[in-house]
Amino acid sequence: MKAARDTGDGMAWPNTLADEQVTPILYNGSSGVLPTLLDAWRYFADDRYADMALRGARGIAAAVEGWEDSGLYTGVAGMAVALRGVHRVLGDTAAGASADRALDVLRSRYDSDGAGWNDWFELVVGNAGIALAALECGDPDLAQLAVDRYARTAESTPAGVQWEVQTGRVHRMLHMSHGTLGIVYALAAVGRAADRPDLVDLALAGAADVVSRNEGGPDGFLVPYSDPQQEHERIERHNYGWCHGPAGDAQAFRLLAQFQPEDPTWPALTDRCWHTLVTSGIPQRIRPGFWDNNGRCCGTAGVLALACDRQVERGDGRDFADLLVADLAARATADAEGVRWSNVEHRDIPSDLAPATGWAMGNAGIIRELLRHARITTNRDPQYAVPLPDHPPAA
């Protein structure tokens, strides 16, 4: 809370502790902080956290009309999710009205003759994420608009279908954040909510394509970063986090397992993702660049999210979850200013990055998963105060 800035319209949090830049978005801005504050309020019963969440919601509400990006993690859709969360948890009608206004802004921007909101197909920036936000905020009609173009833009593959990440991009990406499985998740969720078997079937075809690309052996699940592989010094062929690896792939398979409980395919694939993670060597820093991130998007906290799901659903995630928590504790900086985490970019000098505050690579995303782990290990409610729309509730 010490990093918070009073903007005059409400509270906001800088993207990192080394600068004054604030944004209202879910990925690395203030919208990503609010769910953690609400989890902290539930856990500690300390009204300071609820008060800060309310003040943060006012700051986000003030930014809705002027923020040009519409995406889930980068724009107004994610702001709507955060505002709706404050409304539901704290009963704040002003936050609820602001969430409705954010949905109105999204609806006004929809281009029925073109690409929807933008030329991105994926979850973080594009129409798939906007669909999930609309669904989470109680607007299934808007969610169906958001997935309207996926049937006509699907590309057939030998095993199923795939999509562009963004119109005109050569590389086809495969995982949750920017790839096929994020689109699969959105299509399945909207199809189930709207009773649209055509959307569910399209989701299953997308999942089949990704499954056909497994390079993790019969017991594991490990799919390349992209096809064709991007040749870039900062991109490895295989990743393990939520964004481009089995920690996120498993969330898509968990959703399909909940929707099709009679089909053993999806629990088996979730188990294979889990096997790959626990045998991968993470969270050890085996070599430079192998595992340099503590955060929720592409680091240890994102794997901890799945480990907590396993504890609730399968009863076998506790030991690995404890290992991940111990690693996060060991890498934290704790002093008179509080506790914070820095990530590493081994190709840069200095390698230690400034601590971030938000969801993706920052304190909020890490703390949210640590609080959930604490709740589960003390037999309290395993659900988040504000679920994000790309993470199925633990059954």
Side-chain angles (χ1 to χ4, degrees):
M1 292 196 296
K2 288 184 178 181
R5 307 283 189 267
D6 190 337
T7 65
D9 294 312
M11 300 305 295
W13 287 263
N15 293 355
T16 75
L17 298 180
D19 63 41
E20 296 294 322
Q21 181 184 10
V22 297
T23 61
I25 64 175
L26 192 59
Y27 188 79
N28 61 353
S30 296
S31 287
V33 175
L34 299 196
T36 299
L37 290 172
L38 295 173
D39 272 330
W41 174 67
R42 283 177 54 196
Y43 187 84
F44 295 110
D46 186 335
D47 286 342
R48 292 180 301 165
Y49 297 112
D51 178 67
M52 192 65 75
L54 290 170
R55 296 167 69 188
R58 290 200 294 272
I60 293 165
V64 165
E65 278 87 357
W67 195 258
E68 294 183 1
D69 196 296
S70 296
L72 171 59
Y73 280 101
T74 56
V76 173
M79 295 155 71
V81 170
L83 291 164
R84 182 68 77 217
V86 172
H87 175 215
R88 288 172 176 165
V89 175
L90 299 178
D92 184 62
T93 56
S98 296
D100 291 339
R101 190 169 75 253
L103 293 175
D104 289 341
V105 168
L106 288 173
R107 194 174 289 101
S108 72
R109 295 177 178 179
Y110 179 77
D111 178 8
S112 60
D113 296 324
W117 287 271
N118 53 45
D119 61 355
W120 292 81
F121 289 85
E122 44 80 272
L123 186 150
V124 170
V125 181
N127 286 254
I130 296 171
L132 288 173
L135 202 61
E136 176 65 26
C137 291
D139 195 333
D141 292 336
L142 186 61
Q144 288 187 79
L145 279 177
V147 297
D148 177 65
R149 65 176 178 153
Y150 286 90
R152 65 177 180 271
T153 54
E155 302 169 346
S156 295
T157 70
V161 297
Q162 65 182 8
W163 289 268
E164 294 178 285
V165 179
Q166 182 187 24
T167 301
R169 288 204 177 195
V170 173
H171 298 90
R172 301 298 182 260
M173 301 182 79
L174 307 171
H175 300 278
M176 275 290 286
S177 63
H178 297 302
T180 300
L181 285 181
I183 297 169
V184 164
Y185 194 109
L187 290 171
V190 177
R192 176 66 177 269
D195 193 20
R196 292 276 304 276
D198 59 315
L199 295 179
V200 176
D201 288 345
L202 191 59
L204 295 176
D209 175 77
V210 176
V211 171
S212 74
R213 302 172 187 270
N214 176 44
E215 298 177 359
D219 297 323
F221 192 80
L222 195 60
V223 170
Y225 179 86
S226 66
D227 183 20
Q229 175 69 17
Q230 291 193 40
E231 299 298 331
H232 189 285
E233 63 175 6
R234 297 184 188 270
I235 298 175
E236 297 197 28
R237 182 166 182 80
H238 297 119
N239 298 261
Y240 295 89
W242 170 83
C243 49
H244 297 292
D249 300 345
Q251 300 299 350
F253 299 144
R254 286 182 60 239
L255 182 78
L256 293 172
Q258 292 179 10
F259 288 177
Q260 296 189 320
E262 74 288 347
D263 190 338
T265 301
W266 311 118
L269 284 165
T270 304
D271 288 346
R272 288 165 63 181
C273 290
W274 180 247
H275 174 82
T276 292
L277 288 167
V278 299
T279 60
S280 65
I282 63 172
Q284 300 174 60
R285 307 290 165 95
I286 295 173
R287 64 180 187 277
F290 171 69
W291 198 251
D292 290 339
N293 196 318
N294 302 299
R296 178 59 175 79
C297 180
C298 52
T300 302
V303 183
L304 178 58
L306 179 62
C308 288
D309 294 328
R310 295 288 299 196
Q311 289 181 74
V312 176
E313 295 177 339
R314 306 299 289 274
D316 64 353
R318 176 65 184 272
D319 290 344
F320 194 52
D322 288 347
L323 174 68
L324 300 172
V325 169
D327 187 79
L328 288 170
R331 298 187 187 283
T333 298
D335 55 26
E337 294 298 312
V339 177
R340 57 199 174 276
W341 286 264
S342 296
N343 297 314
V344 174
E345 176 44 71
H346 71 282
R347 300 176 184 88
D348 293 344
I349 299 176
S351 294
D352 286 342
L353 304 177
T357 58
W359 175 87
M361 266 87 72
N363 282 11
I366 296 169
I367 292 167
R368 185 169 179 262
E369 303 308 333
L370 291 174
L371 286 170
R372 186 184 182 212
H373 178 262
R375 291 196 305 275
I376 291 171
T377 55
T378 54
N379 297 315
R380 295 168 64 173
D381 186 353
Q383 309 299 349
Y384 300 103
V386 179
L388 296 189
D390 54 23
H391 188 168

